Amino acid sequence: MQGFGVHTSMWTMHWDRDGAEVTIPAAARYGMDFIEIALLDTSVVDTAHTRSLLEKHDLRAVCSLGLPKENWCSVNPEGAIAHLKDAMDTAKAMGAEALSGVTFGGIGERTGLPPTQPEYDNVARALEAAAGHARRLGIGFGIEPVNRYENHLINTAWQARDMIERIGADNIFIHLDTYHMNIEEKGIANGILDARDHLRYIHLSESDRGTPGEGCCDWDAVFGALAAIGYKGGMAMESFINMPPQLAYGLSVWRPVANSFEEVMDRGLPFLRNKARQYRLI
Ligand code: LER
Ligand code: MN
């Protein structure tokens, strides 16, 4: 993954033919290098249709997901492996470069207790098998640490690094997210430095998930640290203003986080692009 992209939640979270037809030309009009497609239900995806629209609009794609409860790696590694393989097959068929996100569990997965060794053993087993499938398909496979309210297993860059190094799979990458880092890291640069050897993808998301540049994220610290490690991976703006209720629940988004779609796309996106340019990342 390289360049500057946007999460397609800006347009839709339902990736059927209609979702693809609305989103792909719109993202291309904003001059994106790639889009991130949430693969919440692979049965509604027409992979050939998405692939041809991506080619027509000269856009690359990355897919992402969080696992449903019945297939969390920590409790059902075999179910997680089957789920991840199916998502990877769909991602590959539509021409996407990688599958990433909360691939190690659920958005909203918490037991009420600290993580246990058997849970981590199950996560490692599932991720190792999924990484093998990604290698056979020739796509990337990422894990995105998320904050403590969304998952109890991997909240920081160093926990993601420990998991990848434990598995020893050189094709699993770390996918950071500035929103989660702003909650969990002792400084945004710490997360980027901890992840540096495995960092291939980052979500640029404001502290309230709203319009980038209008919250508390220290964007100079983000881009300065990325520049300092010679970052070459993908950067995707993520804001959650169009949420179906079941996703809003997992993400704990209870109010509009921005005034409008236009505010995020026409103020937030140029803000991030200008910062990325200023730090010579694009
Ligand atoms: C969830 O909080 C999140 O940040 C998404 O990117 C999950 O893939
Ligand atoms: Mn994210």
Side-chain angles (χ1 to χ4, degrees), residues 8-24:
T8 53
S9 74
M10 291 303 298
W11 292 275
T12 184
M13 287 299 274
H14 190 69
W15 201 262
D16 58 2
R17 288 174 67 97
D18 288 347
E21 266 162 37
V22 167
T23 302
I24 291 176

Side-chain angles (χ1 to χ4, degrees), residues 53-219:
L53 278 172
L54 289 169
E55 282 168 8
K56 179 172 165 198
H57 292 277
D58 198 21
L59 266 182
R60 292 179 285 114
V62 169
C63 292
S64 64
L65 54 70
L67 291 170
K69 188 168 188 171
E70 65 276 13
N71 289 331
W72 288 349
C73 294
S74 62
V75 287
N76 181 8
E78 294 310 319
I81 293 165
H83 193 108
L84 291 167
K85 283 183 173 176
D86 170 62
M88 285 176 184
D89 292 344
T90 303
K92 174 74 182 179
M94 65 166 71
E97 296 177 12
L99 177 74
S100 193
V102 191
T103 53
F104 55 87
I107 300 174
E109 172 180 2
R110 287 164 308 159
T111 58
L113 295 168
T116 65
Q117 201 51 51
E119 286 177 320
Y120 280 134
D121 292 346
N122 281 345
V123 171
R125 187 163 126 229
L127 293 182
E128 186 173 15
H133 194 69
R135 188 190 309 283
R136 287 188 288 280
L137 292 176
I139 63 171
F141 179 45
I143 56 175
E144 177 185 6
V146 291
N147 73 72
R148 65 190 70 182
Y149 308 108
E150 291 183 33
N151 189 287
H152 69 301
L153 296 165
I154 301 181
N155 305 135
T156 64
W158 68 261
Q159 287 177 305
R161 185 192 62 204
D162 279 4
M163 179 54 72
I164 288 173
E165 292 179 357
R166 168 188 169 164
I167 296 167
D170 60 10
N171 69 326
I172 304 181
F173 63 84
I174 301 182
H175 158 174
L176 291 177
D177 179 321
T178 53
Y179 165 80
H180 300 297
M181 291 161 76
N182 191 52
I183 295 171
E184 296 297 342
E185 304 290 349
K186 291 190 185 295
I188 281 222
N190 300 45
I192 291 170
L193 293 175
D194 286 346
R196 62 187 297 168
D197 292 340
H198 307 280
L199 185 60
R200 307 277 178 277
Y201 197 68
I202 188 164
H203 277 162
L204 304 173
S205 192
E206 192 44 278
S207 53
D208 63 348
R209 296 289 207 184
T211 307
E214 303 185 9
C216 316
C217 264
D218 184 344
W219 292 105

